[in-house]
Amino acid sequence: MAITAFTAIQPTPASILCCSSRRKQKTRGRVVGNFEHLFGVVKKDVEFLKNGIKKGVRWANDALQVPRVVKTVDDFLWLRNLEDPNAPPFRPPSWPQPYYPALSGLDLFAADLKAVKAYANYFYCMSKIWSRPLPDFYDPEEIADYFSCRPHVVALRLLEVFSAFSSAVIKIRISRVKRFIETREDGHTNRSKLQYDFGVVLKETMLNLGPTFIKVGQSLSTRPDIIGFEISKALSELHDQIPPFSRTLAMKIIEEELGSPVEQNFTYISKEPIAAASFGQVYRGTTFDGCAVAIKVQRPNLHHVVVRDIYILRIGLGLLQKIAKRKSDARLYADELGKGLIGELDYRLEAANALEFLEAHSAFSFIRVPKVFQHLTRRRVLTMEWVVGENPKDLLLVSTGATLDHSPAYSDKGKLDAKQRLLDLVNKGVEASLVQLLETGFLHGDPHPGNLRYTTSGQIWFLDFGLVCRMERKHQLAMLASIVHIVNGDWASLVSALSDMDVVRPGTNMHHVTMELENALGEVEFKDGMPDVKFSRVLGKIWSVAFKYHFRMPPYYTIVLRSLASLEGFAVAADENFKTFEAAYPYVVRKLLTDNSDSSRRILHSVVLNRRKEFQWKKLALFLRVGAARKGLQKGLASSSDMSCESYPNVTSAAFDVANFVLRLLPSKDGVVLRRLLMVSDGASLVRALVSKEANPVRQQFCRVIADILYRWMAAAVGNGVAISSYNSQIFAPSFDYRSILRDRRLKVILRKTLEDTRGDPVLLLRFCWTSFVLIATASAMACHRIVVSLSESFVGRLSFAPLQVAVSS
């Protein structure tokens, strides 16, 4: 029994091998080392020290008046006590030239005394250069003169930047070592996690270096095509994680700017800021009129800090240009950035931009701008109307099932409503971007989600107008043409449009650029005439070609592309089938079909006509189909036809009615472009397209239109006893005057011109006559059927089929 028990518990050779292999694996793991516990302990110790240091700093601020001491030291370093805002323009004196004529010793001594006096006077005059304050506007020469007298300020900032990035490099190396150890244990590498960790370290470095670097990081976060998606995701947190400054300083700045105590201007100001940005923070307040306002207060000493960083950046780009031996002046990029950032520091300019933006877009009811309170706005304080709306990020979180801070979970209906609102926001945001681009030429320069609000009335409110961009008319038309050429896959014309936008540099080989674009975008598939591809992917392909051929990127170009790419990112997160081109192209079509300028007509003709001025039927059908789905154009046609938009048929469904759309557009005031297109084109090509097999759906729709016209004529001839119901009238609403189409002389001229062009081809003319005969015969049969049905309904409606009621007593 003992032997049996011993053999029962004795392990088999296989189990011995398995255990030995496990021991080897554990031994190998111990050789590499598991430092997770060590890293955790060190992390907790660092957090404990940070909390202790923060408490010590708070105590020192209160007890030792550290902020006042820091301000005194800062003024001493910047030599602000020597600055005189009223100092006259400085003209440096010339260096005294020594002169010793043939004089005696006493005369030489007197001459030396005069020389000493001259040198003393020279240095005294040169010392006045420290009294010149930093200019409020961006002037590279004056800024260079200012900092040339303060090299210690630049040196300290360079040391700070160098130490910050050195610390970031060390953190990145430690993070990679940690990931390497985890990779050895897990057996796989997570590159996206490595990139995200790199972005987090970069974000923390930007936060530590101050407002200018935060602004640069925010701009980089909108360019995932350059820095990668994971790094962009980490830097996007810079919009939400900027620490605010103290309320005491904010109230002091408000009093200094408005020239009176805060209580004399506002009845209420929130204790904590509602939002904190890189250049300022926002408080919610109430005026004495009872208006809820947003009070934007600029960070203290921001002007000096931003100009200093731009000056350092300009020096660095100049050195980089010399090292790389580039012909173009790289310092111009710093100058452009400096003009934009310093312009954002003057809130009076931002208020003027908001008023100009409101005036430029007043015709578009879905684009809104908060009201500016001019009497409560100064250089460092901006007071605007408080907007109650939803942030796109909040809508995205709710639509995807995530919950906001300390909020309960949403129901399925709430998620669906949030998704619908988000998609409506994106569609209107795309349209708003195109309105700014193609209509007004006045662009919001910082269109990230934090500057957008969506209200319950379906309107988009734009916030923060510190950075705006104005476009020239030729660039607007070139941008319009580029969108059309991308949709049509015409890459040669796209390169030409990019050249008109001053994107392609002079002297660039256009043929090579066209070939590169064809190779990059040739794989794009088209669905129903539209590119079946994400806008961000097309943008990435274009950027890759742009970097290869050193394209120039104008501010308006990057603003619009960044805005559309950002909106598409939100829409795709809620609906993966969303396509930016499908949302944007109807507006482009509407612009081409209603803009009667020579440039717009030239773009339209280049798309729907070939070189022989013959119609390209597929492209024309796409234009008409997309135009029929355009709500703005429907409203215009409805107003020109004296009918409401509600009575207009639902052409946005899949079964659109191109014939109905064309017959409404042609006699309207918006149809002048289409009428001119028909006049300058080859009429025979139009007839050939109408009698082709591909146009069979269009002929059927024309047949329905003619049947409806004949039916109305028959109903009017029979008398008032026949009621025209929505079932019987499938095309036209009752208020539409169809006889205007037959009386329009312009349409008669177009028809006559088309028939004259067709006379040269008797076979085509015969086919057209036969098709017209069949069309009219079929329409007549349909109209007769409808009038018989209507008469029957009218006759049956007069009969009483009330049931016989019998009272039965109990």
Side-chain angles (χ1 to χ4, degrees):
M1 290 294 293
I3 297 174
T4 307
F6 178 77
T7 55
I9 63 174
Q10 188 176 8
T12 61
S15 63
I16 293 174
L17 292 175
C18 182
C19 292
S20 61
S21 63
R22 290 174 183 170
R23 291 194 192 98
K24 290 180 180 179
Q25 290 178 359
K26 290 183 179 180
T27 305
R28 292 173 185 173
R30 293 194 190 97
V31 171
V32 176
N34 188 354
F35 298 99
E36 290 185 1
H37 178 70
L38 176 62
F39 284 135
V41 172
V42 172
K43 186 176 181 180
K44 289 181 180 179
D45 291 341
V46 170
E47 290 178 356
F48 176 78
L49 290 175
K50 283 184 178 180
N51 294 331
I53 292 173
K54 287 181 180 178
K55 292 180 181 179
V57 169
R58 292 195 197 99
W59 176 84
N61 289 338
D62 297 335
L64 304 178
Q65 296 183 351
V66 173
R68 182 178 298 179
V69 176
V70 170
K71 186 178 184 305
T72 304
V73 174
D74 189 58
D75 292 341
F76 174 76
L77 289 175
W78 285 83
L79 306 178
R80 290 196 184 98
N81 297 325
L82 301 178
E83 296 180 5
D84 183 10
N86 301 320
F90 178 75
R91 295 179 181 178
S94 58
W95 181 264
Q97 299 296 326
Y99 178 68
Y100 297 101
L103 299 175
S104 62
L106 184 61
D107 292 334
L108 288 174
F109 179 73
D112 290 338
L113 291 178
K114 290 182 179 179
V116 170
K117 182 181 179 181
Y119 284 119
N121 187 35
Y122 172 79
F123 286 113
Y124 172 75
C125 293
M126 288 298 297
S127 66
K128 290 184 178 180
I129 194 173
W130 285 311
S131 65
R132 297 179 60 195
L134 188 66
D136 293 334
F137 54 92
Y138 185 79
D139 187 340
E141 295 182 0
E142 291 193 16
I143 292 173
D145 293 339
Y146 180 85
F147 283 104
S148 63
C149 302
R150 296 163 176 83
H152 57 285
V153 175
V154 179
L156 290 174
R157 181 58 172 174
L158 285 173
L159 181 62
E160 182 182 2
V161 173
F162 177 77
S163 61
F165 278 103
S166 300
S167 175
V169 170
I170 295 173
K171 290 180 181 179
I172 292 171
R173 296 299 301 174
I174 294 175
S175 175
R176 289 187 176 180
V177 170
K178 183 178 178 181
R179 294 298 173 193
F180 174 76
I181 295 173
E182 293 177 355
T183 301
R184 292 291 299 270
E185 294 179 354
D186 298 339
H188 65 277
T189 304
N190 192 345
R191 293 187 177 275
S192 60
K193 182 65 176 175
L194 290 174
Q195 291 184 354
Y196 182 77
D197 292 342
F198 176 82
V200 170
V201 174
L202 187 61
K203 178 200 69 176
E204 294 174 353
T205 305
M206 297 288 188
L207 284 172
N208 294 331
L209 288 176
T212 310
F213 285 86
I214 292 174
K215 203 74 176 178
V216 173
Q218 290 175 346
S219 300
L220 288 175
S221 69
T222 60
R223 297 302 306 277
D225 51 303
I226 297 178
I227 62 177
F229 177 77
E230 296 297 333
I231 300 177
S232 174
K233 180 181 177 181
L235 290 180
S236 64
E237 298 175 2
L238 286 172
H239 294 290
D240 305 321
Q241 297 185 359
I242 301 175
F245 59 95
S246 68
R247 188 179 189 274
T248 306
L249 283 175
M251 297 303 105
K252 185 178 179 181
I253 291 173
I254 294 176
E255 291 182 356
E256 290 177 355
E257 291 295 318
L258 298 182
S260 58
V262 175
E263 294 78 11
Q264 295 183 8
N265 297 291
F266 303 98
T267 60
Y268 165 77
I269 294 182
S270 59
K271 293 184 178 180
E272 297 296 331
I274 306 300
S278 55
F279 283 3
Q281 57 193 34
V282 179
Y283 293 87
R284 183 170 185 175
T286 306
T287 63
F288 281 93
D289 298 334
C291 298
V293 294
I295 309 168
K296 187 176 179 180
V297 186
Q298 191 176 113
R299 293 181 180 271
N301 299 327
L302 189 62
H303 182 69
H304 287 72
V305 172
V306 171
V307 174
R308 176 196 60 191
D309 291 341
I310 296 298
Y311 174 72
I312 293 174
L313 177 63
R314 196 173 191 274
I315 294 176
L317 290 177
L319 294 175
L320 184 63
Q321 176 189 349
K322 292 181 179 179
I323 294 173
K325 298 180 180 180
R326 305 278 292 191
K327 294 182 179 179
S328 58
D329 191 355
R331 295 175 298 177
L332 296 177
Y333 294 101
D335 294 340
E336 191 69 28
L337 180 64
K339 291 177 183 177
L341 294 183
I342 292 180
E344 289 189 60
L345 297 179
D346 191 347
Y347 287 166
R348 295 169 298 182
L349 180 60
E350 181 175 346
N353 291 337
L355 293 174
E356 184 179 354
F357 189 88
L358 175 62
E359 182 180 356
H361 300 88
S362 59
F364 305 93
S365 59
F366 67 96
I367 300 177
R368 299 300 301 272
V369 177
K371 175 186 175 182
V372 178
F373 293 81
Q374 295 284 3
H375 65 288
L376 297 175
T377 298
R378 296 294 186 272
R379 183 174 172 272
R380 294 189 294 167
V381 176
L382 174 64
T383 307
M384 302 183 75
E385 174 187 3
W386 182 265
V387 178
V388 179
E390 296 175 293
N391 191 307
K393 289 186 177 180
D394 296 342
L395 286 175
L396 178 61
L397 290 175
V398 175
S399 63
T400 54
T403 57
L404 303 177
D405 296 338
H406 308 292
S407 61
Y410 290 87
S411 61
D412 293 338
K413 185 178 183 301
K415 295 177 185 177
L416 182 61
D417 291 342
K419 179 179 178 180
Q420 292 175 348
R421 294 197 302 272
L422 179 60
L423 292 178
D424 185 51
L425 164 66
V426 170
N427 281 305
K428 289 180 178 177
V430 171
E431 183 172 354
S433 299
L434 294 173
V435 165
Q436 299 171 49
L437 174 67
L438 304 178
E439 292 285 350
T440 63
F442 190 75
L443 281 70
H444 188 284
D446 195 12
H448 65 80
N451 289 336
L452 298 177
R453 292 294 182 272
Y454 181 77
T455 61
T456 54
S457 58
Q459 296 173 325
I460 298 180
W461 290 73
F462 285 85
L463 311 176
D464 192 357
F465 294 88
L467 185 61
V468 295
C469 179
R470 295 169 179 83
M471 287 182 64
E472 298 180 15
R473 178 62 179 170
K474 66 174 185 177
H475 293 156
Q476 289 180 266
L477 294 171
M479 200 73 180
L480 174 65
S482 65
I483 298 174
V484 174
H485 297 322
I486 290 176
V487 172
N488 289 300
D490 190 353
W491 312 123
S493 299
L494 174 61
V495 174
S496 178
L498 293 176
S499 178
D500 294 337
M501 283 188 287
D502 298 331
V503 173
V504 181
R505 295 181 181 274
T508 305
N509 193 318
M510 297 295 186
H511 179 70
H512 288 175
V513 176
T514 304
M515 294 296 294
E516 288 284 349
L517 285 175
E518 288 181 357
N519 294 333
L521 299 172
E523 59 186 18
V524 175
E525 297 181 357
F526 288 80
K527 183 179 180 181
D528 295 331
M530 302 292 292
D532 188 21
V533 66
K534 297 289 189 295
F535 178 79
S536 56
R537 183 181 176 188
V538 175
L539 179 60
K541 299 287 188 181
I542 294 177
W543 279 120
S544 63
V545 178
F547 279 111
K548 183 175 181 179
Y549 288 93
H550 306 289
F551 285 1
R552 292 177 296 196
M553 294 299 164
Y556 67 86
Y557 192 74
T558 55
I559 287 172
V560 173
L561 297 184
R562 185 177 64 190
S563 176
L564 294 178
S566 176
L567 290 170
E568 185 186 59
F570 280 100
V572 170
D575 181 9
E576 59 182 10
N577 296 321
F578 179 85
K579 300 291 190 302
T580 303
F581 288 109
E582 292 183 2
Y585 201 56
Y587 187 89
V588 175
V589 171
R590 179 253 179 191
K591 179 70 175 177
L592 291 176
L593 288 178
T594 56
D595 190 354
N596 195 28
S597 63
D598 293 336
S599 302
S600 296
R601 288 201 307 270
R602 196 178 303 114
I603 297 172
L604 177 62
H605 293 178
S606 66
V607 174
V608 300
L609 301 178
N610 58 20
R611 294 182 178 179
R612 294 179 295 180
K613 293 187 178 181
E614 296 177 345
F615 278 104
Q616 303 181 74
W617 176 249
K618 292 184 179 180
K619 293 183 179 181
L620 178 62
L622 173 65
F623 257 72
L624 296 177
R625 176 174 64 84
V626 176
R630 178 67 192 168
K631 293 182 180 179
L633 193 53
Q634 293 174 21
K635 293 179 180 179
L637 297 179
S639 61
S640 64
S641 320
D642 297 329
M643 59 178 291
S644 65
C645 192
E646 286 77 7
S647 63
Y648 187 76
N650 184 17
V651 294
T652 60
S653 62
F656 64 92
D657 196 341
V658 174
N660 184 24
F661 172 73
V662 171
L663 289 178
R664 288 179 178 274
L665 181 61
L666 278 174
S668 67
K669 63 179 181 180
D670 292 326
V672 60
V673 176
L674 189 57
R675 291 194 296 269
R676 295 190 66 165
L677 176 65
L678 294 175
M679 287 298 297
V680 301
S681 62
D682 182 19
S685 64
L686 177 62
V687 173
R688 192 176 296 109
L690 288 175
V691 300
S692 64
K693 185 182 297 184
E694 291 80 5
N696 187 44
V698 178
R699 290 197 299 271
Q700 292 178 1
Q701 292 160 6
F702 271 112
C703 182
R704 291 167 55 196
V705 172
I706 297 172
D708 196 89
I709 294 176
L710 294 176
Y711 166 72
R712 290 178 182 276
W713 176 76
M714 292 178 184
V718 171
N720 297 328
V722 180
I724 302 177
S725 63
S726 59
Y727 170 76
N728 291 327
S729 181
Q730 299 180 6
I731 302 297
F732 291 93
S735 60
F736 183 75
D737 185 12
Y738 61 88
R739 290 172 295 181
S740 62
I741 299 176
L742 303 178
R743 293 195 304 261
D744 198 313
R745 294 182 179 179
R746 299 168 298 182
L747 302 184
K748 293 179 181 178
V749 173
I750 293 173
L751 179 60
R752 189 180 302 113
K753 188 258 181 186
T754 303
L755 294 176
E756 288 177 356
D757 292 343
T758 314
R759 286 181 180 179
D761 191 346
V763 177
L764 180 61
L765 185 60
L766 182 62
R767 290 179 60 192
F768 176 72
C769 293
W770 172 252
T771 303
S772 302
F773 171 76
V774 173
L775 203 69
I776 294 174
T778 306
S780 301
M782 293 173 62
C784 291
H785 174 264
R786 291 183 191 176
I787 198 66
V788 170
V789 173
S790 297
L791 290 172
S792 301
E793 289 178 350
S794 301
F795 177 74
V796 173
R798 296 171 185 172
L799 299 179
S800 176
F801 294 96
L804 180 63
Q805 298 180 359
V806 179
V808 181
S809 63
S810 60

